[in-house]
């Protein structure tokens, strides 16, 4: 694979590499008694398509904070050098609030080689933290999270839509936000997620992701395995309740014009 480093990878090869990461991570977690599960669009794909959503091109897994911490401490200390785990807690140059397991035999630029942040083919590892039982406090936490998500989007935006005046305004805002390093924004989001991590509240939140959900801890008390492409992986036993929280009527396909990837990268 090292001889292929300067060759662009097509979508089929990308998915093959991602699946290899997932298989390795799942085996590692099971061998080290670390709980994980398929989450977000990957869980939806497992239930609705028994694999990738046809227009999707990434893999997401989830962990509770306590498992995420153990995973962070242990994953990079084995004999394997092909894959490595990166997050704010173990990589001072890392720019995302969630973690990523990287395939070090590849190179990936987000959004592209000219302007992008260089990492590698990856799967995302989302951490789910305790949140208060008071919905008004949870709403405030998600508002804070969304403020920083919009801040990051505007800071890094290179193309702007709308009227001439709007384009100029957004461009000016983007320039002003450049004074805030991307890692500062990522750390602020992560700090919101960790605020109640020591409290056994009975509820979990998606504070480093993009969803506004209140997850009953009972949903994360038992797991089963579901087929995803050519393997089987852990998912919440009550995956119907999980997916309904995140997506509503999740078995209904979106309009055809929305069946596109939301990711932007170049991979070699």
């Amino acid at each position: 694979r090292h001889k292929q480093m300067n060759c662009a990878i097509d979508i089929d090869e990308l998915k093959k590499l991602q699946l290899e990461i997932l298989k390795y991570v799942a085996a590692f977690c099971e061998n080290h008694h670390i709980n994980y599960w398929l989450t977000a669009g990957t869980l939806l794909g497992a239930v609705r398509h028994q694999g990738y959503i046809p227009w999707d091109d990434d893999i997401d897994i989830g962990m509770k904070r306590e498992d995420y911490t153990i995973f962070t401490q242990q994953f990079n200390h084995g004999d394997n050098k092909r894959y490595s785990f990166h997050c704010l807690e173990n990589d001072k140059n890392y720019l995302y609030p969630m973690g990523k397991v990287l395939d070090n035999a590849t190179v990936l630029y987000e959004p592209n080689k000219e302007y992008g942040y260089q990492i590698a083919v990856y799967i995302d590892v989302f951490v789910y933290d305790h949140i208060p039982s008071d919905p008004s406090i949870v709403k405030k936490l998600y508002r804070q999270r969304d403020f920083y998500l919009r801040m990051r989007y505007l800071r890094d935006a290179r193309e702007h839509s709308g009227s001439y005046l709007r384009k100029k305004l957004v461009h000016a805002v983007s320039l002003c936000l450049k004074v805030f390093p991307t890692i500062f924004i990522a750390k602020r989001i992560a700090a919101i997620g960790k605020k109640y991590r020591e409290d056994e509240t009975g509820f979990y939140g998606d504070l480093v992701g993009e969803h506004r959900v209140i997850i009953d801890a009972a949903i994360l008390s038992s797991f089963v395995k579901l087929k995803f492409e050519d393997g089987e992986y852990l998912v919440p036993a009550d995956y119907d309740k999980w997916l309904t929280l995140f997506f509503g009527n999740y078995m209904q396909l979106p309009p055809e014009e929305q069946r596109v990837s939301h990711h932007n990268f170049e991979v070699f």
Side-chain angles (χ1 to χ4, degrees):
R1 291 189 187 277
H2 289 285
K3 295 179 180 178
Q4 302 294 321
M5 287 291 282
N6 294 322
C7 298
I9 292 174
D10 64 23
I11 188 66
D12 291 333
E13 178 67 6
L14 173 67
K15 290 182 177 180
K16 180 181 177 182
L17 293 168
Q18 291 171 343
L19 286 169
E20 289 174 357
I21 302 173
L22 177 60
K23 290 174 185 176
Y24 183 88
V25 169
F28 179 91
C29 287
E30 292 178 19
N31 289 336
H32 291 78
H33 308 290
I34 297 171
N35 291 318
Y36 80 94
W37 63 91
L38 303 185
T39 191
T42 305
L43 177 55
L44 176 57
V47 173
R48 197 170 67 191
H49 305 278
Q50 292 74 58
Y52 282 94
I53 297 172
W55 52 91
D56 203 4
D57 52 19
D58 72 343
I59 288 177
D60 304 313
I61 66 171
M63 295 180 185
K64 296 178 183 179
R65 174 65 65 179
E66 52 266 37
D67 292 298
Y68 186 86
T69 299
I70 296 170
F71 188 80
T72 301
Q73 295 168 346
Q74 296 186 358
F75 188 82
N76 293 338
H77 295 294
D79 295 330
N80 169 68
K81 302 302 178 186
R82 173 70 181 267
Y83 305 120
S84 58
F85 180 60
H86 297 257
C87 61
L88 289 170
E89 290 79 7
N90 70 4
D91 184 344
K92 66 180 181 180
N93 298 313
Y94 189 73
L95 301 180
Y96 302 92
M98 78 293 289
K100 296 179 185 288
V101 179
L102 307 184
D103 180 344
N104 297 310
T106 66
V107 176
L108 183 147
Y109 300 94
E110 291 184 326
N112 56 52
K113 190 174 183 179
E114 183 177 1
Y115 298 110
Y117 173 53
Q118 180 181 328
I119 46 175
V121 173
Y122 61 82
I123 68 170
D124 281 319
V125 184
F126 286 89
V127 56
Y128 292 88
D129 284 291
H130 291 290
I131 57 174
S133 56
D134 185 339
S136 64
I137 299 177
V138 176
K139 188 175 182 180
K140 182 179 178 181
L141 291 173
Y142 279 129
R143 281 202 305 266
Q144 292 172 347
R145 189 272 316 270
D146 290 347
F147 169 81
Y148 287 109
L149 287 178
R150 287 192 295 271
M151 183 177 175
R152 178 167 184 155
Y153 172 78
L154 287 170
R155 181 197 182 280
D156 296 337
R158 297 189 178 277
E159 296 182 3
H160 315 296
S161 59
S163 66
Y164 174 80
L165 183 60
R166 184 180 186 279
K167 289 179 181 179
K168 288 294 184 182
L169 179 61
V170 173
H171 179 65
V173 172
S174 179
L175 288 177
C176 292
L177 290 175
K178 291 289 194 291
V179 301
F180 297 98
T182 303
I183 193 169
F184 164 81
I185 301 173
K187 286 182 175 180
R188 292 309 304 154
I189 295 173
I192 294 168
K194 294 177 180 178
K195 192 169 183 179
Y196 293 90
R197 65 178 174 176
E198 303 300 331
D199 300 340
E200 293 289 341
T201 63
F203 298 96
Y204 288 90
D206 180 36
L207 289 161
V208 303
E210 297 181 351
H211 297 274
R212 288 189 168 205
V213 290
I214 297 176
I215 305 162
D216 193 313
I219 301 178
L220 295 176
S221 63
S222 61
F223 297 87
V224 296
K225 284 193 174 183
L226 283 185
K227 183 177 186 297
F228 185 86
E229 297 297 335
D230 60 347
E232 291 190 340
Y233 304 96
L234 290 173
V235 304
D238 196 351
Y239 54 80
D240 174 71
K241 184 176 288 186
W242 180 279
L243 289 172
T244 301
L245 271 175
F246 278 74
F247 300 107
N249 183 10
Y250 61 88
M251 292 303 288
Q252 181 177 333
L253 294 175
E256 193 166 345
E257 65 272 13
Q258 295 180 19
R259 300 176 196 175
V260 294
S261 170
H262 298 289
H263 302 100
N264 187 14
F265 50 72
E266 293 180 354
V267 59
F268 302 90

